[in-house]
Amino acid sequence: MDVSRDIADFTRRAEVAYGAMCRAKGQIAKFCRDDARFYLERAIEIAKASGNKDMVAQLQLRRGQIMSAFHKQNDRSPSQQQHTGIERWENEGGSIGACPRHSHR
């Protein structure tokens, strides 16, 4: 397992999802935010498992920056951004292909 390559891959995917989030609105932006957070969480898990505390801190900082950007973009508080799994499922049909993790190839 190449830890550096895996972290870089998940980080790249998070940045792609972040870019899509910045271009999207509404529910699609939320899905892209969720994708970015998902990929960064995977990178953080790998960095923690490898004992790379500096990388963990760096990735956690980036995760915070992306979440903050989302909240500023949507001009609402974090508590207003949350939605249930059912709401996401009901609206997911509109997001297929909009964000990397939701694309079907």
Side-chain angles (χ1 to χ4, degrees):
M1 178 172 174
D2 186 350
V3 172
S4 296
R5 186 178 63 212
D6 291 342
I7 290 172
D9 183 49
F10 281 118
T11 302
R12 180 190 54 76
R13 291 176 189 209
E15 293 299 332
V16 169
Y18 170 67
M21 180 196 85
C22 291
R23 294 184 302 275
K25 300 236 189 264
Q27 196 68 27
I28 305 268
K30 288 180 184 180
F31 292 152
C32 295
R33 176 212 51 197
D34 291 347
D35 285 349
R37 183 172 38 204
F38 172 84
Y39 291 127
L40 284 172
E41 290 295 332
R42 299 305 69 77
I44 290 167
E45 288 173 6
I46 294 167
K48 282 181 179 178
S50 71
N52 190 338
K53 292 179 183 180
D54 291 336
M55 181 59 70
V56 170
Q58 186 178 19
L59 292 166
Q60 288 173 334
L61 175 64
R62 184 62 180 140
R63 180 185 57 199
Q65 291 168 338
I66 290 173
M67 296 305 110
S68 178
F70 174 80
H71 295 304
K72 287 179 185 175
Q73 175 181 333
N74 289 279
D75 199 31
R76 291 188 273 173
S77 69
S79 64
Q80 293 174 311
Q81 297 296 326
Q82 295 182 2
H83 54 314
T84 68
I86 292 172
E87 290 168 342
R88 181 173 179 163
W89 176 79
E90 289 172 344
N91 294 305
E92 195 162 333
S95 72
I96 294 174
C99 294
R101 195 164 55 110
H102 295 288
S103 64
H104 297 198
R105 293 182 189 184

